[in-house]
Amino acid sequence: MTIRVISFTTKGRELAADIAAAFPDEEIELYEKKECNSALVKSAFDEKTPLVFIGALGIAVRKIAPYIKDKTKDCPVIAIDETGRYVIPVLSGHIGGANALALRLAEKIGGEPVITTATDINGCFAVDVFAGHMGLRIVNPQRIKTVSAKALEGETVLMSVAPEIKDGRLYIESAPAGCVKEADYYMDNPDIIITDRDDETRDALILKPKRLVLGIGSKKGKTFARIRQAFEAFMAEAGAAEEDILTVSSIDVKKDEKGIIALAKSIGAPFLTYTADELMALEGDFSSSEFVRQTVGTDNVCERAALIAAGEGGEIIRKKTSYDGITLALAKIKAGR
């Protein structure tokens, strides 16, 4: 994980250095006051890179204000006072993971995490966290507050899974014990409906399993901005939504490619890689390139990576498309999985 830590005073710089030392396995980018410009903050929001401001909470608020959109798109933001006493998640506590990161930071620097989200401090079911863990797209996020309000009142949340979804009970069983009760899809009026159906219009929070896998290949050193531009063009041409992407996949020689890693973060999807042998072992009709085979050991990266990540029954729904050294393909996970 990349974390941007911005300090504004001498004490703040010292604390920033302590944070970097405490997270040796993370990529900690350190910035000072003079470097904290609009481009730095905007790019963090674009890439969903966590921002940690060491200084007054008001400074963080003013810096991020122009870029705040909604809870499903904002990057995680945390404010820490320069003594390291208080660690405060400011934005995207659940979906972006700011609350979890704040707890980690507080533990490392000996501070106190100041968590303010109601479901956390009351130990209640947080449906947006649940959706993220289970690979579910939140179709109508405005309904999150309705579900959370019911949970905060101590009422059992009713959840229904459409019958065509295989092993649908796993969703029920994965919810915190005592917080959620299974409802009949046809007979009851559930608070949450998990479905693949596009015509579900009932007055409930609709969650849909993410079923798209993005396969990607690129020349070395392609920037996030260029890859993101190619990705947006590709998705528009495919008529697909990035919110439905479950994973981003490629060949293992690209596992450290910063532009691709940043793209996956911006989508909010894990980045999976496979060896050339694993990709070549996959049977199917692929757009073959002898040059690619000689370079990385497989005749196609994006289509093969997308299909292998989609699993049994998956299918390519948009074949290899090239954008100036960037190749993209889209696979769909079999419905009902």
Side-chain angles (χ1 to χ4, degrees), residues 56-135:
L57 176 59
I59 294 175
V61 172
R62 285 192 293 271
K63 292 292 185 181
I64 66 176
Y67 310 105
I68 297 174
K69 296 178 182 176
D70 64 63
K71 65 168 58 186
T72 65
K73 295 182 173 61
D74 296 329
C75 78
V77 178
I78 294 169
I80 307 176
D81 69 279
E82 65 174 28
T83 69
R85 183 176 180 183
Y86 298 115
V87 183
I88 310 168
V90 180
L91 202 63
S92 202
H94 283 166
I95 295 175
N99 287 3
L101 179 56
L103 292 171
R104 292 177 61 204
L105 284 164
E107 181 182 13
K108 293 288 187 181
I109 66 176
E112 180 180 350
V114 183
I115 310 297
T116 59
T117 41
T119 50
D120 289 82
I121 62 176
N122 287 284
C124 294
F125 174 58
V127 67
D128 42 3
V129 174
F130 169 80
H133 287 166
M134 300 304 292

Side-chain angles (χ1 to χ4, degrees), residues 36-306:
C36 184
N37 53 36
S38 58
L40 180 73
V41 177
K42 182 181 183 302
S43 63
F45 271 76
D46 290 342
E47 300 172 22
K48 290 189 173 62
T49 297
L51 284 170
V52 178
F53 291 90
I54 301 178
L57 176 59
I59 294 175
V61 172
R62 285 192 293 271
K63 292 292 185 181
I64 66 176
Y67 310 105
I68 297 174
K69 296 178 182 176
D70 64 63
K71 65 168 58 186
T72 65
K73 295 182 173 61
D74 296 329
C75 78
V77 178
I78 294 169
I80 307 176
D81 69 279
E82 65 174 28
T83 69
R85 183 176 180 183
Y86 298 115
V87 183
I88 310 168
V90 180
L91 202 63
S92 202
H94 283 166
I95 295 175
N99 287 3
L101 179 56
L103 292 171
R104 292 177 61 204
L105 284 164
E107 181 182 13
K108 293 288 187 181
I109 66 176
E112 180 180 350
V114 183
I115 310 297
T116 59
T117 41
T119 50
D120 289 82
I121 62 176
N122 287 284
C124 294
F125 174 58
V127 67
D128 42 3
V129 174
F130 169 80
H133 287 166
M134 300 304 292
L136 298 167
R137 174 186 178 182
I138 302 172
V139 176
N140 50 344
Q142 69 275 10
R143 291 285 304 183
I144 292 175
K145 60 183 179 181
T146 304
V147 174
S148 296
K150 188 170 182 178
L152 288 166
E153 289 297 322
E155 299 180 43
T156 301
V157 174
L158 299 180
M159 181 186 294
S160 179
V161 182
E164 68 270 12
I165 294 181
K166 184 180 179 182
D167 297 328
R169 280 198 55 80
L170 290 177
Y171 291 108
I172 309 294
E173 294 168 358
S174 298
C179 297
V180 172
K181 179 180 178 181
E182 184 174 12
D184 186 278
Y185 182 78
Y186 295 105
M187 302 295 293
D188 296 323
N189 293 311
D191 304 296
I192 302 169
I193 296 175
I194 300 175
T195 180
D196 272 321
R197 305 179 186 187
D198 293 325
D199 59 351
E200 181 57 74
T201 59
R202 279 183 285 178
D203 192 20
L205 176 64
I206 308 299
L207 304 179
K208 296 186 70 174
K210 298 181 179 183
R211 299 212 183 276
L212 298 184
V213 176
L214 180 74
I216 183 170
S218 75
K219 290 183 178 178
K220 187 176 181 180
K222 288 290 183 179
T223 65
F224 165 74
R226 183 67 193 94
I227 293 175
R228 179 75 201 189
Q229 183 182 36
F231 165 72
E232 290 178 359
F234 173 79
M235 294 299 285
E237 292 163 9
E242 70 175 83
E243 292 83 4
D244 288 323
I245 293 177
L246 181 64
T247 58
V248 176
S249 57
S250 190
I251 192 169
D252 60 354
V253 296
K254 296 298 178 182
K255 68 181 186 299
D256 296 320
E257 199 69 37
K258 290 185 176 181
I260 299 177
I261 294 171
L263 175 70
K265 282 169 50 184
S266 75
I267 298 169
F271 179 38
L272 308 179
T273 60
Y274 303 92
T275 66
D277 288 343
E278 287 175 315
L279 296 178
M280 282 299 290
L282 194 65
E283 296 182 358
D285 179 22
F286 302 103
S287 304
S288 179
S289 167
E290 182 61 22
F291 173 79
V292 173
R293 189 190 66 78
Q294 291 182 2
T295 303
V296 297
T298 179
D299 62 351
N300 181 292
V301 170
C302 61
E303 291 176 4
R304 289 182 178 275

Side-chain angles (χ1 to χ4, degrees), residues 310-324:
E312 184 179 357
E315 62 175 332
I316 294 291
I317 61 172
R318 186 167 180 84
K319 294 181 71 66
K320 172 182 173 181
T321 308
S322 299
Y323 302 85
D324 186 29

